[in-house]
Amino acid sequence: MVLLTWIAEVAYEPLVLEPADRRVEWETNTWWVSAEDEDRRSLSVSTVVAAFERTASAIQVRIRELGFPGVATFYVWHDEQAGQLRCSTGSVPADALPFDGAYALSDGLGPVIERFLADSEAGAAESEVVPLRVWAFSVGASSR
């Protein structure tokens, strides 16, 4: 289950919170993970969700230990074109994530993971344009 290991490792990767330089945050804090078809078939949605929740909680602890006083959000989305799950942490609230296009906040991570696990063909995204579904978790000391 390499996917679960990769998700866990994200919590301990370099982390930069620099509200004045969102580009540096994005480049440092954004990670992608993928899975072979066999892993996709053997993993449950709840197992992958739990792995991301543990990672989000670990990042929250790190941010608080750093003494960062502001808003910070850990968020996860499924990049259908690449066939990957991506995650990032930024010093922004959930309603101001740094995406170029439209996105919709998901009430839970389950639907995002479910689409990823069911997606065995990268680049086989739907032809209709729908907002990117994103799960966000507040990890900062402040919520605004």
Side-chain angles (χ1 to χ4, degrees):
M1 310 277 173
V2 175
L3 178 66
L4 300 179
T5 301
W6 287 341
I7 293 168
E9 288 174 354
V10 167
Y12 304 99
E13 293 292 342
L15 179 66
V16 173
L17 294 173
E18 187 55 58
D21 195 343
R22 303 274 190 232
R23 185 186 56 77
V24 168
E25 281 187 350
W26 179 262
E27 290 173 358
T28 304
N29 302 342
T30 303
W31 302 97
W32 61 267
V33 294
S34 192
E36 298 296 326
D37 288 344
E38 184 178 320
D39 268 359
R40 289 176 194 260
R41 287 189 298 273
S42 66
L43 288 168
S44 70
V45 171
S46 61
T47 301
V48 179
V49 166
F52 271 114
E53 288 174 342
R54 284 189 302 274
T55 293
S57 293
I59 289 172
Q60 184 177 51
V61 168
R62 283 182 66 195
I63 289 172
R64 293 192 176 164
E65 286 174 350
L66 289 170
F68 182 76
V71 173
T73 304
F74 174 76
Y75 51 104
V76 179
W77 69 100
H78 173 209
D79 182 330
E80 292 184 32
Q81 289 294 317
Q84 302 165 340
L85 283 171
R86 298 195 179 197
C87 60
S88 191
T89 304
S91 58
V92 294
D95 62 0
L97 299 176
F99 291 108
D100 290 335
Y103 69 94
L105 291 174
S106 180
D107 290 337
L109 183 51
V112 175
I113 301 304
E114 190 174 311
R115 288 187 71 142
F116 168 74
L117 292 176
D119 179 18
S120 61
E121 296 180 33
E126 300 169 5
S127 58
E128 89 180 71
V129 176
V130 295
L132 181 65
R133 187 173 226 165
V134 179
W135 176 75
F137 184 86
S138 177
V139 291
S142 171
S143 60
R144 264 286 171 204

